[in-house]
Amino acid sequence: MTDMTAPAAPADAPRKGSLLEQDARTKRRNAAEKRFEVYGIIAVGIGVLALIALLTSILVNGLGAFQQTFLNVEVEFAEDRLDKNGNRDPADLAKVSTFGYKPLIEGALIATVDRLGLRPDGMSDGDIGAMVSNEAAAQLRNRVLADPDVIGTTHTVRILANARIDGYLKDRVDRASAELDGNVTPQQLELTDRLQAAGVLDKAFNWDFITAPDASENRPEASGLGVAILGSLYMMLVVLCLALPIGVAASIYLEEFAPKNRWTDLIEVNISNLAAVPSIVFGILGLAIFINFAGLPQSAPIVGGLVLTLMTLPTIIIATRASLKSVPPSIREAALGVGASKMQTVFHHVLPLAAPGILTGTIIGLAQALGETAPLLLIGMVAFVREYPDAPPEGFFDPASALPVQVYNWTQRADPAFVERASGAIIVLLIFLVAMNALAVFLRRRFERRW
Amino acid sequence: MNDMRLIDRATDMTDVKIAARGVQVFYGDTHAIKDVDVDIQDKTVTAFIGPSGCGKSTFLRCLNRMNDTIDSARVEGDIRIDGEDIYDRRVDPVQLRAKVGMVFQKPNPFPKSIYDNVAYGPKIHGLAKNRTDLDDIVERSLRRAALWDEAKDRLQEPGTGLSGGQQQRLCIARAVATEPEVLLMDEPCSALDPIATSQVEELIDELRANYSVVIVTHSMQQAARVSQKTAFFHLGNLVEYGETGQIFTNPQDSRTESYITGRIG
Amino acid sequence: MPLLWLIAIVIALAAVGAVLGRRRALASADGDARRLHSLPSYYAANVGLTVLTPALGLLALWLLIQPLYVDWRVTELIPDAAIPETSTRGLVMSDVRRVAEGLDTAIQQGAMTEDEAARLQTESTDIRERLAAVGVALGSNVRPEVLTAAQRYRDLSGTGTTLMAVAVLLAAIGGLAVSVLMTHRDFRARNTVERGIMVMLIAAASIAILTTVGIVLSMLFETANFFGQHSWTDFFFGLNWSPNFRGNSDLGIIPLLWGTLYISFIALLVAVPIGLFSAIYLSEYATRRVRSVAKPMIEILAGIPTIVYGLFALITVGPFLRDYFAQPLGLGNSGSSVMTAGLVMGIMLIPFVSSLSDDIINAVPQAMRDGSLALGATHSETIRQVVLPAALPGIVGAILLAASRAIGETMIVVLGAGAAARLDLNPFEAMTTVTVKIVSQLTGDTDFASPETLVAFALGLTLFVITLCLNVLALWIVRRYREQYE
């Protein structure tokens, strides 16, 4: 230790001040410290605010979709219009198109308006009739075809008002905008107010939004999510049936049996890469392999399910491996110690203990898959589908839509009423996601085991 | 000559640097330190010994308020350095720690160059007026930590590239670079091999000239080699405190005797 | 559905076999299970698996190969001269398939007999009308070559399907016979079954590789096709993107890449500081109460599907930026813009950056922090000068992963960025990205022969290569970083 010849510490050490008072430099440094913390608070605040803004925007825009404006009018199912032969032959009844029903409804509405003396000055019959949704005629026709006995009777029926009238009740349309809009007149809005006061027109919860199929471009008031929800459900079934067993099998191999060699290394790298491949690339894969090469039908839940399975596998594998890893080696040693084979050890002891973690990971993977949109666009799920798919397994091959794709579909349409529908669909989607995640959290809390 | 040094030592020892009274430490519900009173002298090496979990490291960390960084820790009682209560609300731990340096059990150099490791403290405390001043501080600190000869040609290489003993001396250099008045060492040699240990021990003995050094150790031999005063902790109590020679040759408490003779530990 | 029936029969055979195997094993040990080499259930499983595996494997293989073989045989029937100039062989073949399927439907509905379908002639019957009557709409009148080919197609497919059923059943019965005969008390059933299960596990693990191979192959072939019809120099270096379905399109990727990178850049500009600072705040400063509320809230952002962000961009952020920034500043009138998409994508990436940074910051050992604090450094000095430099490689990795996410993101840009390919610096102008163009070229009615459609595969491959490089680099950096502190 010859280094001690070095100059000793200067006697006049710079800080000999009291600990009880902060020197200027410390004050400056503490101010910087505070600033740094404030940056952190701002960052967290922005994140939380963004979440609130996002959810508020969706809720404000979308809650209206769950309510719909209906008109209650007395319609006479006139026999001379609907069944000229009077023989109730279904084939003849089917020949009367929706055009045959339209005047019936419009006439009924006009009659109601006049009976109650609500008609604003100078409003034409045509304008009154136009307040009814185009879909109403189809609904009435379906009712007659299902039950021909109503012909010749008079019933009070609940029919959809058109999207503009509905929009007026939801503050989307007002008199000023009506002046500029070719599809609605201020007189119609005036009449709407009067009809509402008279109880003919009302706004009520709309089950059809959840159960009905999509409707065409010019009748947003009739569109619903039925086919989309069914399609998403089918796809989730396919994903669950394929991704869970394959993912668990792959994880068991990689975690419990795989030797450390090039092949398993390659698999590991592949899995972590697949987790980060853009989802649209999986869409291209689905289009090229499942549709163009294997010849599976477009727009079918089976194809969507297969694509989403491939996307979900990495998530499930990563979660499963983590929960297999958390089972302590002592359990394995105990089982091997009583003479179980390695395979028996894994299937009898390790796997059951890891099951809650696997289940949680699978649910989270499914939730991810449920919200995935981009790959489904490429495999034709954007098609306009009004028919419900059949029951599985045939239904897997029928055309269907999917919840997130339905949202995209509606955003591409011109009528502003579809914005409300798209936001409403998102609310439905988010409810499913919240439910799934809550289930995952519940399972984790309920079965979590700390070793 | 010999007499002179003895007299020197005696005068130094009257100078109390740190005075602790009724110190209690709680980790959540655990009562880790129970009512400890101790006076630590200036320019002396004080050793804290005791079986593991006896609270010696915890007490050490009270002296520069490192326990503040642990959420669940709570300190009660009174600790004064130069007569000033370090747990006073007006005291900024940042200023306190500049005055009370610390070296840890495991060498923990920053992932920076050797030079930057040593210059870090002086830079944040603004001790250097200019670049040459900083160079001087770095050289002086490395020399004082007996690392200059080994490190002078590789000042820009990462500190993590040094050997274990060199890393620990680098951490000591880093601590002395901020010109502290007290140096706390938490088992500084437990991760080192015997040769590195003896180098560090020699260093500690030399540091005594300028600092009050408090060292926690699990090795009784080490305490006997380097310290002038020794405190024996057991189950959170300070059992016995006195001259090192006296503690090891003539312990007053039966627990101290049991520990020193190896019956408990 | 005959296929389902076939599978059901095979499964039934497996079940019967399992019972037989178990019984035979027990019989060979005189009913004393202790004298068997393995548990009785393993003998049952052995027979079951030996029935199922070859039969179902053969079935899968057959289903894969038969359409290819039939196509190949039927294509021979269509002379080159029979292919109209405006069409391709592939289109004619899809006509053939449609007619064949139409005939199937007609027979199913009883509108035609099997015999009649086989002897139909274009001269004597209006096929289009007959098929329309059973609900199969054809685009044009059926030409004689197409009808002949379709009849041949049905013929071959029918024979193939029958053969398949026979072969699969034979395989199943063969497996049953062999495995039941092998069953004996000394037979090592457990080892055999476990070997079989192991093979299945390995197969499942290999699906990851198959998927990657599938991705690469599916895009490589069509990309090669595309470069056969369109010059690669124009694609990679062209400054114009204006597809024209009458041919002669400009298909330069540069404007698309520009839009992609510009939007990703803005997204990272938003996400990296916010994500990093919130990770630092939540892991180093926040009290437990604040953390337990704020952390899940930020994580919720990660669980929200991208379509939701897309809609948010379209109906809220876009109009807001247009009305309060772009128009007052005179920078444009478009709701969809680089700024809209970038901002919303940035919000989407906040939790991604923050959770990755959180992991990485926590991986920096506490000893390092203690060392700095013990020197009298403040908390923020410790973070800025010790923790962040130590975590830097990991954070760079995280940013690269976020960049790869941003580049591959689709729904936000489809709804928020616009469709016009443009090389411009104004962030309030609508621009488009690689992913938007993949969607627009591949949705709707697509004709897989034209370069305007095939370009999507080249775009996809480019996207895949870019993100793959970023991911591999990022994962490599992050892994090296983790090892440093383990």
Side-chain angles (χ1 to χ4, degrees):
Chain A
M1 292 300 132
T2 49
D3 289 332
M4 279 310 284
T5 51
D12 54 340
R15 299 154 292 104
K16 275 294 178 190
S18 164
L19 280 175
L20 296 175
E21 47 199 78
Q22 299 190 351
D23 56 39
R25 185 178 177 84
T26 312
K27 280 189 189 136
R28 239 186 3 257
R29 286 169 60 203
N30 280 337
E33 168 79 16
K34 264 270 149 312
R35 274 202 304 280
F36 193 76
E37 190 177 347
V38 168
Y39 297 151
I41 295 177
I42 292 174
V44 172
I46 292 176
V48 171
L49 266 182
L51 176 68
I52 294 172
L54 178 69
L55 294 181
T56 317
S57 144
I58 299 296
L59 284 179
V60 166
N61 282 297
L63 277 178
F66 294 91
Q67 298 230 310
Q68 203 63 48
T69 307
F70 294 94
L71 290 159
N72 301 303
V73 288
E74 265 186 23
V75 176
E76 189 199 351
F77 293 87
E79 188 165 13
D80 58 333
R81 294 276 192 79
L82 305 181
D83 189 14
K84 292 198 176 77
N85 304 331
N87 57 6
R88 302 287 188 270
D89 178 6
D92 283 349
L93 289 177
K95 276 186 188 146
V96 183
S97 70
T98 52
F99 291 112
Y101 287 83
K102 212 170 165 184
L104 225 57
I105 302 171
E106 296 184 0
L109 180 61
I110 293 163
T112 311
V113 168
D114 285 339
R115 179 161 50 78
L116 296 169
L118 299 175
R119 186 193 288 254
D121 290 336
M123 189 173 178
S124 67
D125 281 358
D127 277 353
I128 296 177
M131 290 168 66
V132 176
S133 162
N134 289 327
E135 186 71 12
Q139 284 174 345
L140 217 59
R141 177 167 180 267
N142 288 343
R143 179 166 172 184
V144 169
L145 292 184
D147 176 20
D149 289 339
V150 296
I151 294 175
T153 62
T154 303
H155 281 281
T156 303
V157 292
R158 236 173 125 64
I159 52 176
L160 285 165
N162 82 24
R164 296 302 146 95
I165 303 300
D166 183 50
Y168 177 61
L169 261 64
K170 293 171 181 167
D171 300 326
R172 195 170 56 234
V173 175
D174 57 27
R175 279 158 215 250
S177 72
E179 295 278 4
L180 307 169
D181 190 338
N183 290 321
V184 64
T185 66
Q187 279 177 330
Q188 287 178 325
L189 300 184
E190 175 61 31
L191 180 58
T192 306
D193 283 338
R194 295 184 186 181
L195 285 170
Q196 195 177 14
V200 175
L201 180 145
D202 65 299
K203 197 167 80 169
F205 189 79
N206 181 20
W207 274 112
D208 280 350
F209 178 62
I210 295 162
T211 55
D214 193 10
S216 66
E217 190 89 30
N218 51 14
R219 42 184 91 159
E221 64 278 2
S223 60
L225 289 169
V227 174
I229 291 178
L230 218 53
S232 277
L233 187 73
Y234 282 9
M235 282 193 283
M236 290 306 108
L237 272 179
V238 174
V239 174
L240 186 67
C241 293
L242 291 176
L244 183 60
I246 295 176
V248 171
S251 314
I252 289 178
Y253 176 70
L254 292 174
E255 200 57 44
E256 305 282 340
F257 296 104
K260 200 87 197 98
N261 60 23
R262 284 235 179 113
W263 181 248
T264 48
D265 259 6
L266 187 68
I267 295 179
E268 304 248 5
V269 172
N270 249 298
I271 289 172
S272 40
N273 272 325
L274 280 181
V277 167
S279 59
I280 186 122
V281 169
F282 283 94
I284 299 180
L285 167 86
L287 178 66
I289 303 274
F290 298 130
I291 293 179
N292 286 357
F293 180 74
L296 290 168
Q298 285 218 344
S299 315
I302 183 82
V303 181
L306 284 171
V307 170
L308 294 179
T309 298
L310 295 181
M311 289 187 60
T312 315
L313 265 180
T315 313
I316 295 186
I317 290 180
I318 289 166
T320 306
R321 292 187 64 178
S323 77
L324 287 175
K325 217 179 258 167
S326 73
V327 176
S330 58
I331 303 271
R332 296 178 181 81
E333 283 156 12
L336 290 173
V338 297
S341 73
K342 197 148 185 218
M343 192 74 77
Q344 287 170 324
T345 305
V346 171
F347 280 92
H348 295 172
H349 300 284
V350 180
L351 200 54
L353 289 174
I358 297 174
L359 220 55
T360 312
T362 307
I363 294 172
I364 289 172
L366 279 182
Q368 257 175 31
L370 182 64
E372 200 50 69
T373 322
L376 302 183
L377 299 184
L378 298 195
I379 56 167
M381 303 290 284
V382 266
F384 178 67
V385 183
R386 267 189 70 85
E387 302 281 316
Y388 293 101
D390 286 344
E394 283 90 347
F396 288 141
F397 296 85
D398 288 344
S401 184
L403 264 177
V405 180
Q406 190 68 63
V407 174
Y408 169 76
N409 240 338
W410 283 344
T411 60
Q412 301 306 99
R413 296 190 187 165
D415 195 317
F418 278 113
V419 169
E420 174 196 276
R421 298 266 148 181
S423 302
I426 294 250
I427 294 176
V428 174
L429 177 65
L430 288 180
I431 289 174
F432 278 114
L433 290 181
V434 167
M436 289 167 86
N437 281 295
L439 182 64
V441 169
F442 168 77
L443 283 175
R444 189 154 44 200
R445 292 261 164 88
R446 176 82 179 68
F447 295 104
E448 192 176 47
R449 198 189 292 245
R450 293 230 171 265
W451 302 95
Chain B
M1 199 65 176
N2 228 344
D3 290 340
M4 287 275 290
R5 280 194 55 186
L6 269 173
I7 292 160
D8 255 5
R9 201 158 157 173
T11 48
D12 282 351
M13 273 151 74
T14 56
D15 192 3
V16 173
K17 187 72 184 171
I18 305 173
R21 293 289 174 273
V23 177
Q24 317 264 2
V25 181
F26 302 89
Y27 288 122
D29 295 333
T30 323
H31 195 172
I33 295 284
K34 296 163 191 159
D35 206 15
V36 168
D37 295 347
V38 72
D39 283 330
I40 289 167
Q41 260 99 29
D42 202 7
K43 303 215 185 335
T44 311
V45 177
T46 306
F48 290 176
I49 60 169
S52 25
C54 67
K56 51 192 195 294
S57 290
T58 303
F59 184 67
L60 190 75
R61 290 168 69 94
C62 292
L63 300 181
N64 68 344
R65 294 184 58 175
M66 279 301 281
N67 282 331
D68 290 13
T69 59
I70 300 167
D71 283 343
S72 60
R74 191 156 49 82
V75 179
E76 287 171 13
D78 187 57
I79 300 176
R80 290 173 185 274
I81 292 183
D82 292 336
E84 291 177 324
D85 181 3
I86 61 166
Y87 281 88
D88 190 285
R89 275 188 48 244
R90 286 169 292 170
V91 171
D92 187 350
V94 165
Q95 254 175 312
L96 169 70
R97 288 174 196 148
K99 201 167 177 168
V100 184
M102 188 166 186
V103 175
F104 294 84
Q105 184 169 5
K106 236 182 104 203
N108 55 353
F110 302 136
K112 297 166 178 280
S113 69
I114 294 174
Y115 183 94
D116 286 340
N117 260 287
V118 181
Y120 178 73
K123 267 189 200 156
I124 56 175
H125 293 297
L127 298 185
K129 288 191 276 296
N130 51 38
R131 178 77 196 188
T132 35
D133 212 11
L134 190 61
D135 288 348
D136 279 350
I137 295 177
V138 170
E139 179 175 347
R140 197 163 60 229
S141 309
L142 283 171
R143 277 187 195 279
R144 213 178 291 162
L147 194 61
W148 176 252
D149 288 340
E150 290 153 87
K152 66 178 177 220
D153 297 326
R154 42 196 287 205
L155 288 176
Q156 296 311 321
E157 286 173 35
T160 42
L162 295 170
S163 74
Q166 288 172 325
Q167 286 191 10
Q168 193 62 300
R169 279 182 281 149
L170 177 63
C171 291
I172 294 174
R174 193 173 70 186
V176 300
T178 55
E179 306 290 354
E181 296 166 28
V182 179
L183 200 54
L184 309 176
M185 297 181 140
D186 189 358
E187 305 199 19
C189 302
S190 67
L192 304 184
D193 61 55
I195 294 171
T197 302
S198 74
Q199 284 173 331
V200 172
E201 283 180 5
E202 240 176 286
L203 184 57
I204 293 171
D205 197 45
E206 283 157 11
L207 290 171
R208 180 163 62 89
N210 296 309
Y211 310 101
S212 164
V213 179
V214 184
I215 175 170
V216 163
T217 173
H218 59 270
S219 149
M220 282 175 288
Q221 290 83 351
Q222 187 172 54
R225 281 196 300 266
V226 300
S227 70
Q228 285 78 51
K229 302 270 274 184
T230 297
F232 172 62
F233 284 80
H234 188 243
L235 299 174
N237 297 302
L238 175 63
V239 175
E240 194 168 349
Y241 177 52
E243 295 288 327
T244 302
Q246 187 222 325
I247 296 268
F248 279 94
T249 53
N250 185 19
Q252 304 296 305
D253 194 289
S254 59
R255 283 171 293 177
T256 318
E257 193 185 357
S258 305
Y259 180 67
I260 286 167
T261 53
R263 263 177 286 149
I264 57 170
Chain C
M1 229 187 181
L3 192 60
L4 274 186
W5 275 110
L6 190 59
I7 294 172
I9 292 173
V10 171
I11 291 175
L13 274 174
V16 170
V19 175
L20 283 179
R22 187 189 155 93
R23 235 184 245 163
R24 191 175 154 91
L26 278 174
S28 73
D30 305 323
D32 183 359
R34 280 174 303 174
R35 292 175 59 199
L36 291 172
H37 169 269
S38 313
L39 291 172
S41 58
Y42 279 106
Y43 292 92
N46 177 44
V47 177
L49 286 179
T50 325
V51 174
L52 286 180
T53 321
L56 293 185
L58 183 69
L59 181 66
L61 213 61
W62 199 294
L63 284 176
L64 212 62
I65 291 172
Q66 180 179 310
L68 292 180
Y69 175 78
V70 171
D71 260 20
W72 172 63
R73 289 295 301 275
V74 172
T75 309
E76 287 178 345
L77 289 179
I78 302 173
D80 282 336
I83 298 169
E85 283 215 7
T86 54
S87 184
T88 61
R89 186 168 286 272
L91 289 179
V92 175
M93 277 308 292
S94 68
D95 276 351
V96 170
R97 275 190 289 267
R98 200 158 321 138
V99 172
E101 277 162 27
L103 293 176
D104 282 342
T105 319
I107 291 164
Q108 237 171 35
Q109 297 188 356
M112 217 181 266
T113 62
E114 189 70 53
D115 219 29
E116 202 181 341
R119 278 187 286 106
L120 277 180
Q121 299 266 307
T122 38
E123 291 84 17
S124 53
T125 338
D126 186 348
I127 314 257
R128 191 174 172 193
E129 194 178 298
R130 297 256 340 233
L131 291 184
V134 293
V136 180
L138 295 180
S140 58
N141 277 324
V142 179
R143 281 172 293 120
E145 311 87 35
V146 173
L147 180 67
T148 326
Q151 284 162 337
R152 176 87 179 127
Y153 185 94
R154 292 195 61 244
D155 195 29
L156 280 172
S157 301
T159 321
T161 310
T162 318
L163 273 178
M164 174 179 78
V166 172
V168 167
L169 287 179
L170 276 180
I173 292 167
L176 179 77
V178 169
S179 59
V180 167
L181 286 178
M182 271 199 315
T183 303
H184 182 262
R185 69 185 153 94
D186 290 333
F187 176 64
R188 300 183 162 208
R190 184 176 58 73
N191 307 41
T192 319
V193 169
E194 287 187 355
R195 244 195 326 275
I197 292 176
M198 187 64 120
V199 170
M200 284 191 233
L201 295 185
I202 293 176
S206 307
I207 284 191
I209 291 187
L210 271 182
T211 309
T212 309
V213 171
I215 288 175
V216 173
L217 284 186
S218 64
M219 291 193 295
L220 217 52
F221 274 122
E222 302 291 5
T223 305
N225 254 343
F226 169 68
F227 285 131
Q229 298 180 29
H230 195 91
S231 93
W232 63 272
T233 46
D234 178 56
F235 177 72
F236 283 115
F237 305 113
L239 296 178
N240 264 321
W241 175 273
S242 50
N244 181 346
F245 277 87
R246 287 183 302 276
N248 253 338
S249 315
D250 284 328
L251 298 172
I253 196 176
I254 300 285
L256 307 185
L257 273 183
W258 169 247
T260 306
L261 296 180
Y262 199 178
I263 291 172
S264 306
F265 175 72
I266 289 180
L268 290 179
L269 223 51
V270 173
V272 171
I274 296 181
L276 200 55
F277 266 104
S278 26
I280 289 172
Y281 180 77
L282 290 177
S283 67
E284 306 269 343
Y285 284 99
T287 60
R288 198 172 301 170
R289 273 258 298 290
V290 172
R291 188 164 43 229
S292 68
V293 176
K295 209 171 176 196
M297 281 185 91
I298 289 184
E299 277 165 8
I300 286 177
L301 282 176
I304 292 178
T306 55
I307 179 80
V308 182
Y309 285 101
L311 192 69
F312 182 52
L314 181 75
I315 65 179
T316 308
V317 178
F320 175 80
L321 287 180
R322 183 191 59 207
D323 298 344
Y324 293 95
F325 290 93
Q327 281 179 342
L329 295 173
L331 287 172
N333 296 314
S334 166
S336 23
S337 67
V338 170
M339 206 53 162
T340 306
L343 215 57
V344 174
M345 203 192 278
I347 295 174
M348 179 197 80
L349 291 175
I350 288 174
F352 190 72
V353 174
S354 93
S355 72
L356 278 175
S357 315
D358 197 33
D359 286 355
I360 287 156
I361 288 171
N362 283 333
V364 176
Q366 183 64 31
M368 210 86 92
R369 274 165 247 244
D370 284 351
S372 170
L373 291 174
L375 285 173
T378 62
H379 214 134
S380 63
E381 284 162 350
T382 304
I383 293 164
R384 273 184 294 145
Q385 300 187 28
V386 175
V387 176
L388 286 186
L392 192 64
I395 290 174
V396 170
I399 293 174
L400 287 181
L401 279 180
S404 142
R405 273 274 181 110
I407 289 171
E409 174 49 42
T410 309
M411 291 324 292
I412 295 177
V413 286
V414 164
L415 294 175
R422 189 177 283 138
L423 274 167
D424 200 335
L425 272 173
N426 179 359
F428 290 101
E429 197 74 73
M431 285 182 215
T432 197
T433 69
V434 174
T435 48
V436 171
K437 284 303 150 194
I438 294 177
V439 171
S440 68
Q441 301 308 103
L442 281 183
T443 44
D445 287 327
T446 44
D447 159 16
F448 282 94
S450 73
E452 287 73 24
T453 302
L454 289 175
V455 69
F457 291 92
L459 289 175
L461 193 62
T462 317
L463 183 70
F464 179 71
V465 170
I466 293 175
T467 52
L468 185 74
C469 291
L470 278 175
N471 292 339
V472 169
L473 185 63
L475 289 172
W476 181 72
I477 292 177
V478 170
R479 191 184 280 193
R480 283 249 330 236
Y481 168 77
R482 290 256 160 78
E483 280 164 1
Q484 188 189 332
Y485 290 118
E486 258 164 19

